[in-house]
Amino acid sequence: MAISSMDVGAMVMPMAVSSDRRHLYAVIRAQPYRVLTLAIDPESGRLRQEAAAALPDSMAYVALDPTGGLLLAASYGGNKIAVLLIDKNGLVTAQAQQVIATGRNAHSIVTDRTGKYVFVTNLGSDAVQQFILHPGTGILKPNDPAQVLTGKGFGPRHIVVSPDNKAVYVLTELTGHVVHYALDADRGTLREVESVASIPEDAGLSPGLAPDAVSPDNGEPKIWAADIGITPDGRFLYTTERTTSRLALLKIDVDNGRLTYVTNYPTEQQPRGIRIDPSGRFLVASGEKSDRLSVYAIDQSDGGLALVGRYPVNAGANWIEMVTFP
């Protein structure tokens, strides 16, 4: 395996890949806040910076709309989201065309599979905001209702949308639940179906504390869930928990989208990021306190994970993007 690196500055995360696989968009969370457009060499995978654009705050999450014409960003500390235009050459060169104040701690932002609707998690407000995306202008406006609430103290963090666009799954950082919402395709609104724990009771963890919590810390180890991924066939879902450094496997009923917790696996220390390759055959996990990536083969019959190997990276790896070429 060949390894190379590119120095782009301090605190690079999060990232997103263009649908044509020609560009990687990398956010710098140190001052000055900016997003870099990096060209991807299809032969070597090496990166070359082509553009940089200012961001209105430190952004914890970025995603693209399905057209590849918009970069959507969420700021955890700034309590806001932003929309930036991607030009016809795939470059982000201008500052945000729209900045919207959110509830507390906007942690992630995604569109549905059609690109008509946008969802934003607010960890500190225990809410998932709902927006309508105007197809011509790329401007967001609140849907009706403007948000749905999770359980109090859940702390919604990351989101995935099912491949069939019928369900939205939200991982809660402070309780480790996966909240399953049914997506109304006509209105773009969410309806909670179930909330399934991805962390077994015998893990010995208590719920985490919200950023503005007034309750005293009981000193017990806390739930600290991080990332969520779904296989391309929509049959299996995976989450990470950082305190115990484990990956959880949940099975999805393809008929109704309902979840069943199956098991969990040890992985890299303090796992923050996971990605599933486009074929659905492999899962890659990184750890904030590890200098390795773990690669797992996904059993196509039951979703089980088998370690393929661990590979060196710089210490503190926390975000993964995958690009495959013919």
Side-chain angles (χ1 to χ4, degrees), residues 42-99:
E43 299 297 328
S44 66
R46 293 182 181 275
L47 303 173
R48 182 186 76 259
Q49 183 173 329
E50 289 192 333
L55 290 171
D57 216 312
S58 171
M59 297 297 180
Y61 199 99
V62 289
L64 305 180
D65 79 316
T67 71
L70 298 174
L71 184 77
L72 310 173
S75 175
Y76 180 89
N79 307 316
K80 61 174 67 80
I81 57 174
V83 181
L84 293 88
L85 293 176
I86 301 173
D87 69 23
K88 63 181 181 180
N89 297 313
L91 309 182
V92 181
T93 59
Q95 64 184 9
Q97 71 162 358
Q98 186 180 23
V99 179

Side-chain angles (χ1 to χ4, degrees), residues 115-187:
K116 297 178 181 178
Y117 309 112
V118 171
F119 305 103
V120 178
T121 52
N122 294 176
L123 184 147
S125 299
D126 292 318
V128 181
Q129 292 182 288
Q130 308 179 130
F131 293 92
I132 298 172
L133 178 60
H134 189 283
T137 63
I139 296 295
L140 295 173
K141 70 173 185 178
N143 207 332
D144 182 18
Q147 65 180 25
V148 293
L149 298 177
T150 65
K152 185 174 177 56
F154 274 40
R157 179 182 169 95
H158 282 184
I159 314 168
V160 292
V161 179
S162 65
D164 63 9
N165 208 44
K166 293 181 179 180
V168 171
Y169 300 101
V170 176
L171 176 65
T172 65
E173 178 172 325
L174 306 180
T175 64
H177 285 87
V178 179
V179 186
H180 167 202
Y181 295 97
L183 172 58
D184 186 318
D186 296 322
R187 299 179 57 227

Side-chain angles (χ1 to χ4, degrees), residues 43-320:
E43 299 297 328
S44 66
R46 293 182 181 275
L47 303 173
R48 182 186 76 259
Q49 183 173 329
E50 289 192 333
L55 290 171
D57 216 312
S58 171
M59 297 297 180
Y61 199 99
V62 289
L64 305 180
D65 79 316
T67 71
L70 298 174
L71 184 77
L72 310 173
S75 175
Y76 180 89
N79 307 316
K80 61 174 67 80
I81 57 174
V83 181
L84 293 88
L85 293 176
I86 301 173
D87 69 23
K88 63 181 181 180
N89 297 313
L91 309 182
V92 181
T93 59
Q95 64 184 9
Q97 71 162 358
Q98 186 180 23
V99 179
I100 301 173
T102 65
R104 295 192 304 275
N105 311 121
H107 213 312
S108 62
I109 180 169
V110 302
T111 73
D112 78 321
R113 300 285 176 173
T114 70
K116 297 178 181 178
Y117 309 112
V118 171
F119 305 103
V120 178
T121 52
N122 294 176
L123 184 147
S125 299
D126 292 318
V128 181
Q129 292 182 288
Q130 308 179 130
F131 293 92
I132 298 172
L133 178 60
H134 189 283
T137 63
I139 296 295
L140 295 173
K141 70 173 185 178
N143 207 332
D144 182 18
Q147 65 180 25
V148 293
L149 298 177
T150 65
K152 185 174 177 56
F154 274 40
R157 179 182 169 95
H158 282 184
I159 314 168
V160 292
V161 179
S162 65
D164 63 9
N165 208 44
K166 293 181 179 180
V168 171
Y169 300 101
V170 176
L171 176 65
T172 65
E173 178 172 325
L174 306 180
T175 64
H177 285 87
V178 179
V179 186
H180 167 202
Y181 295 97
L183 172 58
D184 186 318
D186 296 322
R187 299 179 57 227
T189 53
L190 303 178
R191 174 182 57 82
E192 183 173 336
V193 176
E194 59 183 342
S195 181
V196 177
S198 67
I199 300 167
E201 291 185 6
D202 61 11
L205 302 179
S206 62
L209 298 177
D212 61 349
V214 295
S215 302
D217 188 343
N218 59 15
E220 296 177 353
K222 302 293 190 297
I223 294 172
W224 197 19
D227 209 0
I228 185 170
I230 191 170
T231 52
D233 61 8
R235 297 172 58 219
F236 306 110
L237 184 145
Y238 303 88
T239 67
T240 73
E241 200 290 312
R242 288 175 284 185
T243 299
T244 56
S245 297
R246 301 188 78 86
L247 293 166
L249 161 63
L250 292 89
K251 184 178 180 180
I252 302 173
D253 188 316
V254 294
D255 293 324
N256 55 33
R258 286 186 171 271
L259 299 166
T260 302
Y261 171 81
V262 179
T263 190
N264 64 80
Y265 304 86
T267 190
E268 300 297 332
Q269 188 173 3
Q270 205 166 295
R272 191 186 189 284
I274 56 173
R275 277 294 181 272
I276 296 167
D277 85 295
S279 74
R281 296 173 55 223
F282 300 100
L283 181 147
V284 181
S286 65
E288 292 175 302
K289 291 189 175 181
S290 174
D291 60 359
R292 296 288 189 274
L293 292 178
S294 280
V295 178
Y296 302 90
I298 300 174
D299 189 301
Q300 299 300 292
S301 63
D302 62 12
L305 299 179
L307 183 65
V308 174
R310 300 179 68 224
Y311 305 95
V313 293
N314 288 336
N318 57 48
W319 201 277
I320 300 166

